[in-house]
Amino acid sequence: MIMGFKKCAAAAALLAMGAVAASAADFTIRASHGESTESPLHRGWQVFEAYVESASGGDIEVEIAPAGQLGSMTDALEQAKIGAIQMAHGDEQVMSTFYKPMMVLATPYLFNNDQEGMDFIYSAYFSEVREKMASESGLRLLSAASYGFRNFTNNVRVVKSAADMSGIRMRVPPSPMSLEMVKAMGGSPTPVPWEELYGAMQSGVVDGQENPIGVALDYSFYQVQKYMTLDNHQLGLNTMMINEAFFQSLTPELREIVVTGAKMGAATEYGERNYQARVIAVAKLRELGMEVYAPTPEEAATFRDAVREPMQAYLKSELDPAFVEAVYAEIDAARAADRAAVE
């Protein structure tokens, strides 16, 4: 009787092992991102993981390495490019190091709002750019989520229009477009390393800086800055990137699941970031003593008008001029169509 029980137990164990083997995933997506597990970005990746594993019936397993465990953003994208991992987190700046035309997404005042930027990235026109990136760089852009616009803060005056930037010493990152942007408005662009920024504002080495609203709150810039202007000059993007060879190794059905999951993950992050930036952070900064100013449509136009030609000239010096003109034309046409739809 005992021997019979042991045989049954052994058989059951073998069956269980067989079931495990049968249910093992056909594909594994190892993914890297640079933010904490408490961030909206991580929650977006978790939605991606849950959807892809469920919708694929277990054919795809997703393993996420958060908080830069696999290195910097650039390091992780390099790993994804060569296939050491399958997916990685990118942004509007770093993507251009892998495919230069992506630098247009970091152009100041290219988009009037977050949704306009999202619509452009998913547009038929830009899908061709994404396909070229996939074929030429080995990295495919699956989805993008806005993490908020960069905005100006300063200690001199309330900046309501481009003319109000005159003479303000504005800290900018070491980016040619950022330098040209501030210069075009009459300000004095001053590169300062991120690590030295707070002290530079505190001591008066610079009068102001530009970053997403949440940065001003998280890093206590309200302690050394009086005024914030919601000019929304540069759209911040977090993207999900995938190794192109791996993506093409999937069946069409699994590729569709991965793309859908990436869009769902991006939508999750975008919704939470948008609420934080537009409601929580602004209200808190005002409560903490900052004067937060939202320009009127007419005032906002002065910022865009001041930098449009200098930005186009710079982009054309770096990229195919026809491509630059096409990007602006596509956005202008989409904007006109949206306006016509409500008139």
Side-chain angles (χ1 to χ4, degrees), residues 97-151:
T97 65
F98 293 89
Y99 186 62
K100 196 170 183 179
M102 285 294 173
M103 70 187 295
V104 298
L105 295 178
T107 304
Y109 303 108
L110 186 65
F111 304 114
N112 287 344
N113 54 65
D114 310 69
Q115 195 57 52
E116 196 173 83
M118 299 298 99
D119 290 346
F120 176 72
I121 289 169
Y122 293 125
S123 69
Y125 172 78
F126 204 69
S127 69
E128 297 178 10
V129 179
R130 291 161 60 190
E131 288 296 330
K132 288 180 181 177
M133 180 181 188
S135 63
E136 295 181 24
S137 74
L139 289 171
R140 174 177 290 270
L141 193 164
L142 291 176
S143 67
S146 164
Y147 62 81
F149 279 92
R150 298 175 80 94
N151 294 282

Side-chain angles (χ1 to χ4, degrees), residues 169-214:
R169 292 167 298 172
M170 187 64 63
R171 180 268 178 181
V172 293
S175 159
M177 282 200 286
S178 296
L179 288 163
E180 289 296 327
M181 170 185 67
V182 173
K183 192 186 302 181
M185 290 187 278
S188 178
T190 309
V192 173
W194 167 255
E195 297 78 11
E196 301 173 17
L197 176 54
Y198 188 95
M201 292 186 292
Q202 188 175 41
S203 64
V205 170
V206 294
D207 300 314
Q209 61 85 50
E210 47 86 51
N211 263 298
I213 299 171

